[in-house]
Amino acid sequence: MSIQVVDRNNPLPRYVQAMLIIQQRIRSGKYRPGERIPGERDLAVELRVSQMTMNRALMELAKEGWIRREHGKGTFVPENFCPPPPEVLQIGVVAHIPAEHALEDFYLGSLFRGMQRAIVNTSVSLSILEVPADEIEKIGEALLDGLLVLDMLEQNVEKVNQLYRAGLKMVVLGASWEGLEVPFVDSDNVAGTRAALEHLISLGHRRIGGVFALPRTCNTQDRLRTFQQTLQERGTPPDDTFVLMEEEATSISQPGREKIRQILRSSARPTAFFCGGYYLALEVMRIAREEGLDIPEDLSVVGFDDPVSAALLSPPLTTVRQPLDEMGRVATEMLLEWLKNTAPPRHGVVLPAQLMVRQSTTSPGGNT
């Protein structure tokens, strides 16, 4: 994302464009109350206008109370200044994949539907910003009123914290990393995973395999850690040879498929699999059938996430339902309230996940 500049082809007068850019920087927190902003000459160079044009823009902003100019000291945003809301609030949704793929993805698409529910009958515009995970600091250049940051990685916690301390208004969605200072909304991956494992153990399963994906995400790390801890606590220590970690959440790689086949062919194979994603569960079920195993008689399978199709499978899938629509709605409403009232929202909200018990799980058969 490039820094916004005055557009010479825009019919709007250049000094007005410059005013709007500075107003947006104040609204977004880039220029904070009480702070000195760049000088007239520096702003003219940055926004690519003449110094005379920038002088007029600053004079108009001073008349309207957006800035205070002190001779010999500089230009400041007034202390305790609360900018009037724009006619339309501009909110960016930060994702690591292209917009068209984000909307097609069940997880991200469900979050986005929740966001849209929150802005019905409001003057809010949502736009998806594709920002690579290793360039997260670029969200500070967006010049939007607020941001919803999806699936932030642990490597970016301090970078995002710094942007938050600098005044950027944002809510993290789908991650609750330790040390994160930014308000967040997440689902309870720990309780959801524990419920799934307790369900399998209560059915009599003692050899339980696990398939996970996206190892750098908060959700996956929570699920994997809880998978290991729960089995350890219940006296059935996890067998690392039964655990698979994939890089993609929508499919299992060819080496991964071969490993699952080898696991299922072993004499002391698992009687159940916990899959940390919906598509991972579909893959495990398909491979199991190709190996001549019936579900759930020979192998119980639990997934994570609950699209409509999960209940229509044969057999219907036992899975952990995340409140994805609700997560998107709550995060958006938190951000909107922050933009209206200037005070940041409560630090974090974790919404409960629900185990949906269906016919893909049962007590282990003869292979115990």
Side-chain angles (χ1 to χ4, degrees), residues 2-7 17 21 25 45-48 143:
S2 60
I3 295 174
Q4 190 175 354
V5 298
V6 168
D7 181 3
Q17 293 185 56
I21 291 172
R25 291 182 177 184
V45 171
E46 182 186 352
L47 302 188
R48 301 176 189 173
L143 292 181

Side-chain angles (χ1 to χ4, degrees), residues 88-92 119 122-127 144:
V88 177
L89 285 170
Q90 302 288 336
I91 294 179
I119 64 171
T122 66
S123 298
V124 175
S125 173
L126 288 176
S127 57
L144 299 169

Side-chain angles (χ1 to χ4, degrees), residues 21-62:
I21 291 172
I22 294 172
Q23 287 174 340
Q24 186 58 37
R25 291 182 177 184
I26 294 172
R27 282 199 181 98
S28 69
K30 184 177 178 67
Y31 299 156
R32 305 176 70 180
E35 291 185 349
R36 180 178 176 177
I37 71 172
E40 181 180 296
R41 183 176 302 174
D42 292 336
L43 283 170
V45 171
E46 182 186 352
L47 302 188
R48 301 176 189 173
V49 295
S50 68
Q51 191 168 342
M52 182 180 297
T53 297
M54 183 53 61
N55 178 267
R56 183 177 180 184
L58 294 176
M59 287 178 63
E60 292 296 328
L61 287 170

Side-chain angles (χ1 to χ4, degrees), residues 239-306:
D239 186 335
D240 290 342
T241 62
F242 292 167
V243 178
L244 177 68
M245 179 63 75
E246 288 287 300
E247 290 297 323
E248 298 295 330
T250 55
S251 64
I252 295 178
S253 64
Q254 188 58 38
R257 293 192 187 100
E258 288 305 313
K259 180 175 179 178
I260 292 174
R261 293 185 193 280
Q262 293 173 9
I263 292 172
L264 294 178
R265 291 170 184 170
S266 65
S267 58
R269 65 170 177 81
T271 59
F273 262 95
F274 170 77
C275 303
Y278 176 63
Y279 298 108
L280 301 178
L282 296 184
E283 290 267 33
V284 169
M285 294 170 75
R286 180 172 66 85
I287 294 169
R289 289 194 177 101
E290 291 172 354
E291 292 298 313
L293 300 177
D294 291 327
I295 298 169
E297 292 81 5
D298 299 321
L299 184 73
S300 288
V301 178
V302 178
F304 218 101
D305 282 333
D306 190 30

Side-chain angles (χ1 to χ4, degrees), residues 3-18:
I3 295 174
Q4 190 175 354
V5 298
V6 168
D7 181 3
R8 293 178 178 273
N9 296 317
N10 190 321
L12 202 63
R14 294 174 191 173
Y15 83 91
V16 175
Q17 293 185 56

